[in-house]
Amino acid sequence: MAEPISIADLRRLARRRLPRMVFDYLEGGAEDEGGIVRNVEAFRKIRLMPHRLVDVSERSTAVELLGKKAAAPIVVGPTGLNGAFWPNGDIALARAAAKAGVPFALSTASNATIENVAAVGGRLWFQLYVVHRELAANLVRRASQAGCEALILTVDVPVNGKRERDLRNGFQMPLRYSPRTIFDILTHPRWASGILASGALKLANLATTTASSLDAQTALLRREMDASFCWDDLARLRDVWPRRLIVKGICAPHDAARCFEIGADAVVVSNHGGRQLDDAPAPISILESFQGLGPVLIDGGIRRGSDIVKALASGAHGVLVGRSILYGLAARGETGATKAISILVEEIDRTLALVGCPDASRLSSAFVGHD
Ligand SMILES: Cc1cc2nc3c(=O)[nH]c(=O)nc-3n(C[C@H](O)[C@H](O)[C@H](O)COP(=O)(O)O)c2cc1C
């Protein structure tokens, strides 16, 4: 393929390079995958209203994200098992984000440790899954010591979503080898040589934590979270975490209001990219109902820079991007992740010019149109 110019191009390259079961893990969602489709289509339904005869000769995609300037309203979202897409995938993403001047959110289910990723530099956020209270407390301490500027607590995984592609493919950690998976791997030698040479994938944070009981590791591998985690626990987390606290996976405005009452600094309106509750609403479709509550980020279905412009014009402070950047990572490692971010940033810049808003931080509902 010629040089990729869109996220869709990177997706095609990723699909070619990855074994089917790994691509399915990246791409797939819960049950009938209606949530994934709605996330993407909800953006397609929104129109932008161009303002004419505005001087757009100088433009800026920069915004303030959690009190600090970011080069674009983008956060590289937390995704588990990035090492399955590219050797040292977490480090590759952290470097791409730092180079682009945007934050990187490291998942609890990462293959690199918090400390190794922190050594890359750049803005680091740590995403917390509470699989085990003692383990969570340990991870929070480590994230704080490593200098993570924000903690993102993910609250939409009380139990694992029913991801039928993964169930059919036997995609789990450690990988289960069947004749089909072996054939899948052998027919993708470029992926296999890189990944197999870098050793067995480990959930590095858990493997290196002193609270790591076998129970806790098994729970995370199966994505069996502590389903009893509730509001009082959030309040306790607020007490012990010294820096910015973000709650990810909120859909109901009354839940967002409660997060802000407890002292959260922001919420991420998210349905986990359609990977948890298949019937949860598309975040961009419900964003308006969060107006005035506090700082809101959204994610889910962002495949174009214009989607990010729509999110900001609809009231979001910024967006988290999952699959679009993972396509780049899976296609070409750090170079591909950098490419994905630069495609999105270039598209934001072009869209700002076309809608007559030279400054991303000045987007408002005045730029949302209707057919
Ligand atoms: C492969 C993959 C792994 C993910 N792992 C996590 C995770 O470990 N923690 C988390 O909070 N969200 C996780 N997510 C959800 C993303 O953070 C984000 O909410 C979602 O990908 C946004 O939708 P998009 O992929 O359409 O951009 C994952 C998503 C994908 C695609």
Side-chain angles (χ1 to χ4, degrees), residues 222-300:
R222 293 198 189 135
R223 295 278 183 99
E224 274 173 16
M225 302 299 157
D226 181 341
S228 68
F229 194 93
C230 60
W231 290 105
D232 291 346
D233 299 300
L234 176 63
R236 274 191 283 275
L237 186 64
R238 177 63 290 185
D239 287 343
V240 296
W241 173 252
R243 297 192 274 274
R244 307 280 171 156
L245 179 65
I246 306 167
V247 183
K248 173 173 181 279
I250 295 294
C251 289
H254 63 83
D255 279 345
R258 200 156 171 191
C259 290
F260 290 122
E261 268 167 38
I262 288 175
D265 297 287
V267 300
V268 185
V269 177
S270 171
N271 60 19
H272 212 104
R275 295 163 78 84
Q276 285 298 112
L277 177 67
D278 192 23
D279 290 309
I284 185 70
S285 307
I286 55 172
L287 186 54
E288 224 184 309
S289 49
F290 290 81
Q291 292 308 311
L293 295 177
V296 168
L297 307 165
I298 67 163
D299 73 13

Side-chain angles (χ1 to χ4, degrees), residues 78-80 107 127 129 154 248 272-273 275 299-301 303 322-323:
T79 53
S107 166
Q127 177 266 324
Y129 274 139
T154 297
K248 173 173 181 279
H272 212 104
R275 295 163 78 84
D299 73 13
R303 305 290 181 267
R323 294 179 184 84

Side-chain angles (χ1 to χ4, degrees), residues 22 25-28 36 39-40 77-82 85 106-110 127-129 152-157 163 223 248 268 270-275 299-303 320-327:
V22 182
Y25 163 67
L26 190 169
E27 181 85 338
I36 301 179
N39 282 355
V40 172
T79 53
L81 303 188
N82 291 326
F85 306 128
L106 181 73
S107 166
T108 289
S110 63
Q127 177 266 324
L128 182 67
Y129 274 139
I152 309 183
L153 174 74
T154 297
V155 294
D156 56 6
V157 190
R163 305 200 192 134
R223 295 278 183 99
K248 173 173 181 279
V268 185
S270 171
N271 60 19
H272 212 104
R275 295 163 78 84
D299 73 13
I302 287 158
R303 305 290 181 267
L320 274 59
V321 179
R323 294 179 184 84
S324 288
I325 296 172
L326 291 183
Y327 295 140

Side-chain angles (χ1 to χ4, degrees), residues 13-133:
L13 291 173
R15 188 173 199 169
R16 217 178 286 163
R17 184 177 163 275
L18 293 179
R20 173 67 188 268
M21 64 176 167
V22 182
F23 183 76
D24 275 350
Y25 163 67
L26 190 169
E27 181 85 338
E31 298 182 354
D32 299 314
E33 301 190 343
I36 301 179
V37 175
R38 280 197 311 282
N39 282 355
V40 172
E41 283 185 349
F43 278 108
R44 301 286 87 78
K45 284 187 195 147
I46 296 173
R47 299 283 158 268
L48 286 168
M49 179 58 75
H51 295 200
R52 302 302 187 202
L53 296 166
V54 176
D55 178 356
V56 289
S57 56
E58 306 238 338
R59 299 181 295 279
S60 169
T61 60
V63 295
E64 203 157 280
L65 277 181
L66 296 195
K68 274 198 199 164
K69 198 102 164 162
I74 294 175
V75 178
V76 178
T79 53
L81 303 188
N82 291 326
F85 306 128
W86 196 269
N88 294 316
D90 299 298
I91 302 280
L93 286 179
R95 287 197 181 128
K99 218 186 296 166
V102 300
F104 169 59
L106 181 73
S107 166
T108 289
S110 63
N111 302 121
T113 61
I114 305 174
E115 294 77 11
N116 284 346
V117 176
V120 168
R123 296 180 64 179
L124 181 61
W125 298 2
F126 182 69
Q127 177 266 324
L128 182 67
Y129 274 139
V130 179
V131 288
H132 189 280
R133 308 230 169 176

